[in-house]
Amino acid sequence: MPKRTDLRKIMIIGSGPIVIGQACEFDYSGTQACKALRADGYEIVLVNSNPATIMTDPEIADRTYVEPLTAEYLEAIIEREHPDAILPTVGGQTALNLSVELAEKGILERNNVQLIGASLNAIKMAEDRFWFKDTMGKIGLDVPLSVLVTKVDAALKACEKIGFPLIIRPSFTLGGSGSGTAYNREEFEEMVRWGIELSPVHEVLVEQSVLGWKEFELEVMRDHADNAVVVCSIENVDPMGVHTGDSITVAPAQTLTDKEYQRMRDAAFAVIRAVGVETGGSNIQFAVEPRTGRMVVIEMNPRVSRSSALASKATGFPIAKIAARLAVGYRLDEIPNDITKKTPSCFEPTIDYVVAKIPKWAQEKFPEADHTLGTQMKSVGEVMAIGRTFKEALMKGMRSLETGRKTPKPPQDPSELLRRLAVPHPERLWDLFFAFAAGHSVESLEEITHIDPWFLNQIQQIVELQGELKRFDEKSIPPPALREAKRFGFSDAHLGEIWNVSAESVRMRRAETGVRPVFKRVDTCAAEFESFTPYLYSSYEDEDEAAPTDRKKVLILGSGPNRIGQGIEFDYCCCHAAFALKEEGFESVMVNCNPETVSTDYDTSDRLYFEPLTFEDVMAIVEEEKPYGVIVQFGGQTPLNLARQLKNAGVPIIGTSPASIHLAEDRKQFGKLLERMDIPQPENGAAKNVEEALAIANRIGFPVLVRPSFVLGGRAMVVAYDEATLKNYVARAEELQQAFPILVDRFLENATEVDVDALSDGRDVLVAGIMQHIEEAGIHSGDSSCVLPPALIPESNRQTLREYTVKLARELKVVGLMNAQYAIQAGKVFVLEVNPRASRTIPYVSKATGVPLAKLAARLMVGRKLKEFGLPEELPVRSHYVKSPVFPFRKFPGVDTILGPEMKSTGEVMGIGETFGLAYAKAQIAAGLRVPTEGQVFISVNDHDKPGVIPIARDLAKMDFKLVATSGTAAILGKAGLRVEKVFKVNEGRPNVVDLIRNGSLAMLINTPLGKASRYDEKSIRHAAVQHGVSCITTLSAAAAIVSGIEAQRNQEIRVISLQELHQTAASA
Amino acid sequence: MEAVLALEDGRVFRGRGHGASNKRFGEVVFNTSLSGYQEILTDPSYAGQIVILTYPHIGNYGTNSLDSEAIQPYAEGLVVREICEAASNWRSEEEISNFLCHHNVPIISDIDTRALVMHLRKHGAMRGVLSTIGGGDTELVAEAKSSPSMVGLDLASRVTTQTRYEWTKPSGSIDGARAQESPKARFKVVAYDFGIKQNILRRLVDSGCAVTIVPASTSAREVLELKPDGVFLSNGPGDPEPVEYAARAVRGLLGRVPVFGICLGHQIIGLALGGNTYKLKFGHHGGNHPVLNLETNKVEITAQNHGFAVDPDSLNINEVVLTHRNLNDDTLEGLRHKSLPLFSVQYHPEASPGPHDSAYLFGNFVRMMEEFKKPGKA
Ligand SMILES: Nc1ncnc2c1ncn2[C@@H]1O[C@H](COP(=O)(O)OP(=O)(O)O)[C@@H](O)[C@H]1O
Ligand SMILES: Nc1ncnc2c1ncn2[C@@H]1O[C@H](COP(=O)(O)OP(=O)(O)O)[C@@H](O)[C@H]1O
Ligand SMILES: [Mg+2]
Ligand SMILES: [Mg+2]
């Protein structure tokens, strides 16, 4: 049966900002769904609050709404657009939960909207953990024993009979939020209470533990004619107890016999049928007892998931695209397989390689947090690697992670190693290598880690070979042994370390001996049929299948795994480069190793290399493809770090030259340049020790901003207000390698931070956007809300900003994009830094202006001139756009939520409104914060902020908010004639402010940092606020912004507008 | 141990040897299943063939006594990218290389199996020699060239049972927790053994049949004397044409007793109905082939293992209904007689290895026997 003709307009809900547990994979799936359904002739209305996505590009859907993902806003969009149906299954848990809410509130029925892909009943049965288990029992599948609880005391009683340890799993959450393992009563009570609170339906399932069992996932597709296939099986290296998102996983399953695998496949089909997911993809998780083979069902996700993105990339089977088409009535056998062209999609991909996924965590960003891995996901990104063997895939994956360091060193104390192995943590994979090197056996490590001996044995083989390699050096190694090492996945750099020589010498030896990789294709069928999509990976085999064309081509280096500071924005830019190059008649060749992304979709570029982004791996591709040019400025810091080395190896880097890139990155050299150009910068110096640091600080005056010279993304940056802090910092830095010289800058207090994005062809410069930050300088640009147009920056300053930006772009001979960060203090503009590359704000500015900056930049890089595009010197912005960050604090209980120069946010949202206030309010709502319109506001500010807070408090009082404040602030407000109630600080007695938060009697908090003395107090206030989802504002500028947001909210009903409409008015104006 | 695989067209692969020290020849074919190597290697249909497994890690879960399809391996040799010598699975009893070694089957590993598969895809299945006891390129290629060709070879007679025997074992349980109960046998089935896989027998028992296995050369009269409720024609190796004696037997059974055939059994039925068979370029060997059931319009993902196929155009459409079609290449996958109780499929509903989507066919066979038993029919 072909597609449905009773549907015309379909709404797709995206997953919102990038958070832990929900990342770019939903940009990938949503984008595929939009493209597929549009190609089938449907009109697509897309809603997503995340501007950094490809899916919110105005070309992807017919109508694109960058609006908060709440039922109220969706209702407004539905009423405006009248879609016939909603596809709820490609936007992660967010879209699924929202769809349930829309259905249950009657909004869908009232507006005559159907759910396609998954029915309300199916979603609820799968997501309601208890109902799901009950269903499993009915179809004869085994599940761990469990009890559903909604109250803590009832829970304890009920659970005593199951026995500890117990697993706590809240219903309708994602990424294991609120779940955990309780080993005793005390932990149990706390976790259950927390879980009940986090669950949108306030229930948790308390379950018998199956810790240490083998964990598997199957990705299943089903069409409405009940044809069902398994796209991919995935085995977790880390056994049950570590969230699949935090586990190293492998596709396909390695340790199941066919009988065991088929039993699981049968069960998966039984599950999808019982739950009633009629069309689309589902992910079903199983646990298998390693000694007896007993199999239990863990959960099902009735939607496209992170694992489906992985499965799609691992097999070449585009799950989201096909799920979308199945939802509109196609059958699996009616959809052709894009790769083979001749065969249908109704089949089960088979692969002749191994895929390994390794998560990437952000432990260095949250040093105080507990990094033990458990049932709640903590990783912020992942890499995937393809090899012909598990060993090769694993080793490629490990180098794809860009840990920014050489192979780590084992702990000194051998018993420490074993202790570390017993508890899953981000470094456990490396610890396993150390353990084998120290002579531990597979058996003993299995006992400690419960990792399947098959995986342990593979790692042991690598370690053994490493031992054997030590007997040689790069000169004496016989070619077959060198080839064997490469076949095991050893990188040149790793071999260089083993032999104490540079990676370059190993590379030379390989060149001499002809040991080089070939490229194989991912083709869904293990070479049974010819493949027409050049989706490639490298391996040390005999026959090369890359078959490069002789077209003029450009290689785009991607941004690797998501991490805090380098995320989806860069993937967005890389995809745009690919699109633009295609339009320019070039062949686009993408290199990346992140399976979550749109860039690693085989139809984003003409050719895709799924490879690590290291010098060695990129060179192999360059040698194979012989590109006309290589683009390094779109993938964030990852490719930039390779730029010089590539250039030196004769690789044609196009766009801004690596020398300019380096000049801008090297703060010392760049400082000199600014001096020469007469552009102000904060006074600064470089210190090699404590004395020098103190001398510099005293010269330029405290506070100072200190940072090690090598870091990126604001890492390890600290504001030192006094000598003690500075001394302490330098002392700690001494423990780090490469930390010196330490850079000491005058910290610009009370300065407004500004981001400027520009485009240049080397001569002309276009100022694309001047963005004013709401939080002042000192809070990392990525963690600050920012505003377009920059209404509060006086024209005189804007003129200066333009002038500096143009000068800098010319000086650096930028071809492509440039981002400059400034701070304006007391009317004077200082340059903080210049990044001659695509920045985090490019998608945001592109969406606000309607001009695709990354595309234009790519065109400039292949020789076009700015003049040809007919753009004004500065892009106009109609309406107001606010970008706000989203933080992962809920995942890291105990971490202070105070912001600083080190970036901590994982994602962002955009609010659009006719006024700044409205746009800001929308951005806050989109970021998941409440913008209260009534209630009680708590205020506690430092002395410096006391005068400034008065007008804010007055505005709030005018809007009938009740004010409560700590004594000092209360006194000031009282004196200003405001009615205010005094409340205790945490250490003053009870009930105190934290009690108020816990009781839900505060609508909002305004709390600026008071300094050391009250640190504990503030931390517990902010912590309580985060845990209870109350907005806690930590700067006065943000407080002022939220006040205008509240005003706007109170005075206006919900209004939504699509990007297409905005851009049209911008174009016609 | 060094190993060599030499193909008749002169291409030679050198890799590591495992399993038996030996030299064997056969037709080189590839199987794309991700799991199930033990079932594949012990499937008698692989007699006369050297098997390449496209999945690169083979041996991960060892071998066990439950997962064999016959009492010994039948493949002539095994070609893999990497062999695992440290199996991990609760049911594993023996490493794959030891298992094959006991049965004189050589293994070659560490070659670019994907390159080899692409070669066969382009040039078709071909003869080869696998040696783990050395040999020069030219000499081995010459041996490959002079080895017998599959076409016209009666391999079934080589692998069939010599004597009649009974089978009563149902499918076993793999987690030991829930032992499968043998259902009561309600039907008496005679199964022709052209190289039968044991899982077919287990499935028949699971479906309520008591099975008597007879040699390939058994005549229709001998079978009818056993008064069966149904006759089953098994899978088996190689070319169906030289097995004309079996086609003759089928003609003698047609209409007198319900008949169900799988794989070679299906091809023999095709011949018995007056059709022709032909050799496919490189055959179907894997566990992911989509087959459309033309009568229900549903797709089954099937296990397949055959190098020959029945030409649908050669069948008399007044007599035969084409019931199943392969969606990858449109080849014929199943047929039934319009009026008489007979049906067959080219693929493997008993799976093992492979998906269970087509297990319903055993139920269809049982229902056909039930119908036929009803008074007035026989
Ligand atoms: N009963 C259990 N015993 C031990 N570990 C469990 C159990 N249930 C779940 N887990 C672990 O917790 C992780 C998250 O649970 P899951 O139900 O899959 O939540 P999510 O919806 O976040 O994916 C699983 O990947 C698994 O490792
Ligand atoms: N001299 C300074 N005074 C005040 N704030 C600063 C100063 N230098 C940097 N910052 C703050 O630190 C943040 C990070 O610094 P930046 O130089 O942009 O490093 P990164 O490369 O991590 O973006 C900036 O966004 C800004 O808020
Ligand atoms: Mg899960
Ligand atoms: Mg910066």
Side-chain angles (χ1 to χ4, degrees):
Chain A
M1 204 193 304
K3 68 175 193 207
R4 286 173 62 171
T5 49
D6 59 327
L7 303 176
R8 199 180 48 82
K9 204 184 219 185
I10 298 172
M11 180 158 136
I12 291 180
I13 307 176
S15 67
I18 304 297
V19 293
I20 289 175
Q22 215 166 252
C24 319
E25 63 268 19
F26 298 109
D27 187 23
Y28 164 71
S29 59
T31 304
Q32 273 202 349
C34 289
K35 289 205 293 200
L37 294 182
R38 263 184 120 193
D40 274 327
Y42 295 99
E43 195 180 334
I44 301 301
V45 179
L46 174 75
V47 195
N48 193 355
S49 55
N50 184 348
T53 50
I54 287 287
M55 60 153 73
T56 52
D57 259 5
E59 297 100 63
I60 301 287
D62 296 281
R63 295 281 213 146
T64 307
Y65 287 88
V66 180
E67 297 286 358
L69 291 172
T70 66
E72 292 73 39
Y73 279 90
L74 289 175
E75 182 176 12
I77 297 166
I78 290 171
E79 282 171 358
R80 202 159 177 256
E81 292 288 346
H82 306 294
D84 301 305
I86 289 183
L87 179 64
T89 51
V90 293
Q93 197 67 36
T94 302
L96 213 56
N97 287 359
L98 274 169
S99 303
V100 170
E101 197 179 338
L102 291 173
E104 292 194 327
K105 287 192 166 146
I107 296 169
L108 297 186
E109 200 179 327
R110 236 183 355 262
N111 291 282
N112 235 328
V113 185
Q114 312 175 13
L115 283 182
I116 55 172
S119 66
L120 179 62
N121 213 55
I123 298 174
K124 288 181 75 176
M125 194 189 292
E127 293 293 326
D128 180 321
R129 299 214 187 261
F130 198 71
W131 191 6
F132 178 71
K133 294 209 145 202
D134 200 45
T135 311
M136 293 304 99
K138 284 190 184 129
I139 57 172
L141 290 175
D142 207 354
V143 287
L145 281 180
S146 61
V147 199
L148 183 75
V149 299
T150 50
K151 288 210 183 61
V152 181
D153 9 323
L156 245 187
K157 251 209 225 107
C159 298
E160 258 157 10
K161 52 176 196 286
I162 301 179
F164 287 104
L166 288 163
I167 308 291
I168 286 96
R169 302 162 78 202
S171 287
F172 284 95
T173 59
L174 80 121
S177 278
S179 70
T181 308
Y183 290 90
N184 57 46
R185 256 164 181 268
E186 203 179 307
E187 288 175 352
F188 179 79
E189 282 178 33
E190 193 184 322
M191 284 182 185
V192 169
R193 191 169 295 118
W194 180 215
I196 289 175
E197 183 161 332
L198 272 188
S199 162
V201 292
H202 305 295
E203 39 175 67
V204 302
L205 193 74
V206 177
E207 191 168 274
Q208 173 194 17
S209 145
V210 294
L211 291 171
W213 289 28
K214 290 147 76 93
E215 187 164 3
F216 295 91
E217 296 175 77
L218 295 190
E219 292 300 318
V220 183
M221 301 287 297
R222 183 181 184 216
D223 68 18
H224 70 87
D226 195 26
N227 296 313
V229 295
V230 172
V231 174
C232 188
S233 62
I234 301 174
E235 179 163 354
N236 290 12
V237 173
D238 297 281
M240 285 294 289
V242 176
H243 195 277
T244 51
D246 275 353
S247 294
I248 297 166
T249 64
V250 182
Q254 300 293 336
T255 62
L256 292 178
T257 65
D258 187 65
K259 296 215 173 4
E260 293 142 23
Y261 169 69
Q262 299 301 340
R263 168 181 65 162
M264 199 173 275
R265 182 178 178 276
D266 290 345
F269 289 167
V271 172
I272 195 169
R273 287 182 174 128
V275 170
V277 177
E278 278 159 16
T279 70
S282 286
N283 155 271
I284 302 165
Q285 293 166 23
F286 296 92
V288 173
E289 214 282 326
R291 312 248 166 265
T292 63
R294 185 182 149 202
M295 178 181 85
V296 296
V297 182
I298 297 302
E299 71 154 353
M300 109 169 293
N301 292 304
R303 55 171 170 88
V304 171
S305 65
R306 175 179 44 258
S307 302
S308 0
L310 184 72
S312 300
K313 305 299 163 84
T315 60
F317 188 105
I319 293 180
K321 174 177 177 175
I322 292 182
R325 300 191 71 191
L326 297 180
V328 295
Y330 285 103
R331 287 171 51 125
L332 278 165
D333 52 328
E334 288 169 341
I335 304 171
N337 177 342
D338 294 341
I339 291 189
T340 62
K341 291 192 173 152
K342 282 198 273 278
T343 59
S345 290
C346 193
F347 79 118
E348 302 196 336
T350 186
I351 65 183
D352 55 5
Y353 46 83
V354 180
V355 173
K357 173 211 83 172
I358 311 179
K360 186 169 175 75
W361 289 271
Q363 69 271 42
E364 74 282 358
K365 289 276 176 181
F366 305 101
E368 327 89 280
D370 173 10
H371 295 290
T372 305
L373 302 180
T375 56
Q376 173 172 323
M377 184 169 160
K378 290 179 177 165
S379 60
V380 292
E382 62 190 25
V383 296
M384 179 181 110
I386 312 177
R388 278 278 280 162
T389 63
F390 173 73
K391 294 182 278 284
E392 190 176 39
L394 184 73
M395 296 285 271
K396 281 173 88 175
M398 287 170 81
R399 71 172 178 268
S400 300
L401 283 171
E402 291 175 60
T403 49
R405 50 165 194 214
K406 301 191 161 185
T407 12
K409 298 278 169 285
Q412 295 292 322
D413 176 4
S415 65
E416 164 70 9
L417 180 61
L418 291 184
R419 252 198 316 279
R420 266 181 17 194
L421 279 165
V423 187
H425 63 96
E427 306 273 318
R428 187 157 78 162
L429 178 57
W430 283 264
D431 286 348
L432 285 171
F433 277 75
F434 300 142
F436 281 119
H440 290 284
S441 66
V442 167
E443 295 70 43
S444 69
L445 293 179
E446 183 200 356
E447 205 168 298
I448 298 172
T449 62
H450 301 288
I451 293 174
D452 192 280
W454 191 84
F455 297 111
L456 293 173
N457 177 266
Q458 296 287 321
I459 295 171
Q460 190 182 36
Q461 289 178 36
I462 300 173
V463 174
E464 275 171 7
L465 184 69
Q466 182 170 321
E468 282 167 39
L469 289 169
K470 286 198 177 117
R471 301 206 323 255
F472 302 101
D473 58 37
E474 93 285 7
K475 297 249 159 46
S476 65
I477 181 123
L482 182 56
R483 185 172 142 90
E484 183 72 357
K486 296 307 285 183
R487 271 161 88 85
F488 267 57
F490 283 91
S491 65
D492 289 351
H494 194 160
L495 291 173
E497 263 179 62
I498 294 176
W499 294 323
N500 242 319
V501 296
S502 68
E504 195 45 41
S505 334
V506 179
R507 195 179 151 68
M508 268 155 60
R509 174 71 180 165
R510 281 204 296 116
E512 270 164 40
T513 51
V515 175
R516 66 170 79 89
V518 297
F519 294 93
K520 297 275 182 197
R521 289 190 182 213
V522 171
D523 63 4
T524 72
C525 63
E528 185 173 359
F529 304 101
E530 192 182 347
S531 78
F532 295 90
T533 44
Y535 172 6
L536 301 147
Y537 67 95
S538 71
S539 181
Y540 282 79
E541 286 279 23
D542 300 337
E543 201 170 272
D544 188 64
E545 295 171 39
T549 66
D550 46 18
R551 290 178 58 194
K552 219 173 175 190
K553 62 191 72 163
V554 173
L555 209 68
I556 304 158
L557 302 185
S559 64
N562 267 17
R563 63 207 91 165
I564 289 176
Q566 184 171 311
I568 188 170
E569 304 84 4
F570 299 100
D571 199 63
Y572 167 94
C573 292
C574 291
C575 293
H576 271 261
F579 302 151
L581 291 168
K582 272 194 212 179
E583 288 163 19
E584 289 285 327
F586 284 85
E587 186 174 77
S588 59
V589 183
M590 185 73 71
V591 187
N592 201 0
C593 56
N594 181 348
E596 302 171 339
T597 56
V598 178
S599 67
T600 50
D601 194 354
Y602 60 74
D603 63 10
T604 291
S605 49
D606 294 311
R607 299 170 68 79
L608 167 65
Y609 284 83
F610 210 107
E611 287 284 284
L613 287 154
T614 70
F615 174 71
E616 171 184 352
D617 298 284
V618 171
M619 279 310 288
I621 300 166
V622 168
E623 282 159 11
E624 181 85 24
E625 291 282 347
K626 306 196 173 50
Y628 157 83
V630 175
I631 295 183
V632 296
Q633 61 173 260
F634 286 150
Q637 213 60 42
T638 301
L640 278 196
N641 291 344
L642 302 176
R644 279 221 295 184
Q645 220 182 339
L646 291 172
K647 175 93 190 172
N648 294 341
V651 176
I653 307 284
I654 56 171
T656 312
S657 75
S660 288
I661 294 172
H662 186 72
L663 173 60
E665 298 260 301
D666 182 328
R667 292 196 187 259
K668 214 164 133 199
Q669 271 195 57
F670 187 63
K672 284 200 192 121
L673 176 77
L674 289 175
E675 238 165 72
R676 214 173 52 238
M677 293 173 70
D678 220 13
I679 295 178
Q681 57 186 312
E683 279 171 87
N684 58 64
K688 284 197 263 329
N689 52 44
V690 181
E691 292 72 39
E692 285 183 22
L694 286 174
I696 298 168
N698 286 321
R699 171 168 57 83
I700 62 187
F702 280 98
V704 290
L705 186 83
V706 278
R707 60 177 126 196
S709 51
F710 71 95
V711 299
L712 325 159
R715 276 217 29 216
M717 278 170 82
V718 157
V719 180
Y721 283 88
D722 48 41
E723 291 204 355
T725 321
L726 183 59
K727 273 189 193 154
N728 180 14
Y729 181 85
V730 180
R732 272 196 300 131
E734 266 159 7
E735 292 166 17
L736 295 167
Q737 296 173 319
Q738 286 186 290
F740 289 93
I742 281 179
L743 305 174
V744 184
D745 283 17
R746 182 160 74 83
F747 179 71
L748 300 170
E749 281 188 287
N750 300 318
T752 305
E753 190 164 345
V754 182
D755 253 90
V756 179
D757 282 323
L759 262 180
S760 172
D761 56 14
R763 229 195 39 233
D764 291 327
V765 182
L766 166 84
V767 175
I770 299 179
M771 292 152 274
Q772 181 200 339
H773 289 203
I774 291 179
E775 282 76 15
E776 59 264 39
I779 290 175
H780 195 276
S781 52
D783 280 356
S784 175
S785 285
C786 83
V787 194
L788 267 173
L792 297 177
I793 301 179
E795 181 51 36
S796 59
N797 282 152
R798 288 200 213 181
Q799 201 46 51
T800 315
L801 290 166
R802 272 178 218 128
E803 193 189 305
Y804 289 171
T805 304
V806 170
K807 266 192 179 167
L808 285 163
R810 291 220 173 105
E811 180 68 30
L812 292 170
K813 300 190 188 62
V814 168
V815 177
L817 290 163
M818 183 186 92
N819 164 267
Q821 285 165 20
Y822 300 93
I824 308 177
Q825 190 190 40
K828 183 172 175 189
V829 176
F830 295 85
V831 173
L832 295 185
E833 69 161 347
V834 169
N835 298 307
R837 56 161 166 88
S839 69
R840 197 171 296 117
T841 42
I842 288 299
Y844 161 62
V845 179
S846 299
K847 268 149 216 191
T849 58
V851 176
L853 299 170
K855 265 189 177 173
L856 297 185
R859 296 196 152 146
L860 297 177
M861 284 185 246
V862 294
R864 294 258 180 194
K865 296 289 166 222
L866 257 180
K867 280 209 198 85
E868 299 174 45
F869 304 136
L871 294 165
E873 257 173 57
E874 186 173 338
L875 297 178
V877 184
R878 317 254 172 251
S879 217
H880 292 263
Y881 301 82
V882 174
K883 172 174 99 80
S884 285
V886 175
F887 297 95
F889 297 129
R890 276 197 153 199
K891 296 278 174 171
F892 299 108
V895 165
D896 194 2
T897 62
I898 194 73
L899 303 178
E902 169 142 13
M903 182 168 165
K904 291 182 175 160
S905 59
T906 53
E908 65 195 47
V909 292
M910 178 164 90
I912 306 174
E914 289 123 84
T915 61
F916 162 71
L918 202 58
Y920 187 75
K922 276 189 180 179
Q924 298 312 295
I925 295 168
L929 296 169
R930 282 178 224 154
V931 177
T933 46
E934 57 183 16
Q936 217 169 193
V937 176
F938 167 82
I939 306 180
S940 175
V941 295
N942 59 37
D943 287 347
H944 179 267
D945 286 336
K946 282 197 169 106
V949 84
I950 295 171
I952 292 171
R954 184 165 291 133
D955 286 346
L956 286 168
K958 262 193 227 142
M959 291 187 284
D960 298 325
F961 281 92
K962 279 209 252 150
L963 306 178
V964 293
T966 46
S967 53
T969 309
I972 294 282
L973 295 179
K975 241 190 252 157
L978 292 167
R979 272 191 50 185
V980 55
E981 207 176 299
K982 235 169 58 180
V983 61
F984 283 139
K985 292 180 186 166
V986 178
N987 48 16
E988 284 174 349
R990 302 188 76 161
N992 58 38
V993 48
V994 169
D995 294 314
L996 293 187
I997 298 173
R998 292 228 167 106
N999 291 336
S1001 46
L1002 289 182
M1004 186 169 86
L1005 293 90
I1006 298 173
N1007 179 211
T1008 65
L1010 304 177
K1012 273 259 158 60
S1014 56
R1015 221 184 120 81
Y1016 166 72
D1017 219 53
E1018 289 169 16
K1019 196 171 156 180
S1020 56
I1021 292 174
R1022 289 191 290 266
H1023 184 229
V1026 166
Q1027 304 302 321
H1028 293 265
V1030 184
S1031 301
C1032 180
I1033 291 143
T1034 58
T1035 64
L1036 277 196
S1037 44
I1042 193 84
V1043 167
S1044 39
I1046 291 171
E1047 275 169 352
Q1049 274 290 101
R1050 281 163 58 102
N1051 298 334
Q1052 219 177 32
E1053 62 198 275
I1054 287 179
R1055 279 228 223 135
V1056 292
I1057 185 158
S1058 69
L1059 289 185
Q1060 286 82 0
E1061 293 164 273
L1062 284 164
H1063 295 164
Q1064 201 169 25
T1065 54
S1068 61
Chain B
M1 182 157 69
E2 210 209 11
V4 199
L5 173 70
L7 302 181
E8 61 174 301
D9 70 349
R11 192 136 175 202
V12 175
F13 292 82
R14 288 188 177 266
R16 260 179 215 150
H18 314 258
S21 298
N22 204 343
K23 177 164 75 181
R24 294 184 58 171
F25 59 84
E27 185 184 50
V28 184
V29 295
F30 62 89
N31 185 306
T32 61
S33 301
L34 292 173
S35 54
Y37 54 80
Q38 186 182 345
E39 292 90 331
I40 291 167
L41 294 166
T42 54
D43 176 348
S45 297
Y46 280 103
Q49 291 178 324
I50 292 169
V51 188
I52 310 159
L53 294 174
T54 58
Y55 187 63
H57 284 285
I58 295 299
N60 298 4
Y61 50 75
T63 59
N64 65 64
S65 42
L66 251 181
D67 289 359
S68 281
E69 285 300 316
I71 47 171
Q72 67 180 74
Y74 274 90
E76 307 292 334
L78 173 62
V79 184
V80 298
R81 172 62 178 78
E82 184 165 313
I83 202 88
C84 171
E85 309 272 11
S88 164
N89 187 281
W90 67 96
R91 301 196 297 136
S92 176
E93 292 159 20
E94 192 175 22
E95 303 291 345
I96 180 78
S97 50
N98 291 344
F99 175 73
L100 291 184
C101 185
H102 298 326
H103 295 98
N104 297 320
V105 182
I107 308 173
I108 180 170
S109 76
D110 290 79
I111 65 165
D112 188 345
T113 49
R114 185 169 163 92
L116 173 55
V117 168
M118 290 179 62
H119 186 69
L120 297 179
R121 180 182 85 209
K122 279 185 210 123
H123 305 287
M126 57 183 88
R127 290 167 291 170
V129 170
L130 201 176
S131 166
T132 49
I133 51 172
D137 289 8
T138 34
E139 162 204 342
L140 291 171
V141 169
E143 276 183 60
K145 266 192 198 142
S146 60
S147 66
S149 153
M150 271 270 159
V151 178
L153 205 63
D154 175 9
L155 283 168
S157 64
R158 226 168 73 190
V159 299
T160 185
T161 177
Q162 299 306 311
T163 53
R164 190 182 292 173
Y165 65 97
E166 312 286 320
W167 184 279
T168 51
K169 268 203 286 276
S171 300
S173 159
I174 49 173
D175 61 11
R178 283 174 290 183
Q180 204 105 354
E181 249 179 69
S182 243
K184 239 184 77 198
R186 295 151 53 218
F187 303 96
K188 191 170 167 199
V189 169
V190 169
Y192 269 95
D193 176 13
F194 304 119
I196 198 163
K197 284 170 68 187
Q198 290 183 349
N199 211 49
I200 296 179
L201 300 173
R202 297 181 205 117
R203 287 286 184 185
L204 286 169
V205 172
D206 294 346
S207 315
C209 305
V211 192
T212 306
I213 298 95
V214 298
S217 58
T218 311
S219 69
R221 189 179 45 83
E222 287 169 290
V223 167
L224 291 172
E225 273 167 10
L226 293 171
K227 299 206 168 24
D229 297 315
V231 173
F232 177 79
L233 301 173
S234 86
N235 62 298
D239 188 351
E241 265 178 41
V243 202
E244 35 62 52
Y245 50 90
R248 204 176 324 127
V250 171
R251 280 193 289 270
L253 296 169
L254 196 61
R256 304 176 123 162
V257 61
V259 177
F260 173 29
I262 287 179
C263 199
L264 184 66
H266 157 83
Q267 294 161 3
I268 288 168
I269 287 174
L271 294 173
L273 295 173
N276 301 324
T277 55
Y278 63 99
K279 189 159 171 31
L280 297 166
K281 189 171 181 192
F282 50 86
H284 294 167
H285 310 274
N288 68 344
H289 290 248
V291 166
L292 183 66
N293 181 330
L294 299 163
E295 297 187 304
T296 59
N297 202 26
K298 273 194 66 170
V299 183
E300 297 154 32
I301 303 301
T302 64
Q304 305 228 351
N305 176 27
H306 59 110
F308 293 82
V310 177
D311 176 4
D313 297 333
S314 68
L315 295 166
N316 175 359
I317 48 155
N318 296 322
E319 233 179 37
V320 182
V321 182
L322 308 182
T323 56
H324 294 79
R325 177 163 57 85
N326 188 307
L327 292 177
N328 283 345
D329 61 4
D330 290 332
T331 51
L332 178 67
E333 291 286 356
L335 58 84
R336 71 177 165 81
H337 198 281
K338 261 206 175 133
S339 49
L340 302 173
L342 169 144
F343 74 101
S344 62
V345 286
Q346 178 60 72
Y347 54 92
H348 290 268
E350 81 286 4
S352 196
H356 298 158
D357 298 11
S358 315
Y360 70 94
L361 290 167
F362 290 95
N364 287 2
F365 182 41
V366 163
R367 256 188 309 280
M368 193 161 95
M369 290 188 284
E370 237 159 27
E371 278 293 308
F372 197 76
K373 252 184 164 177
K374 279 186 190 156
K377 285 264 176 173

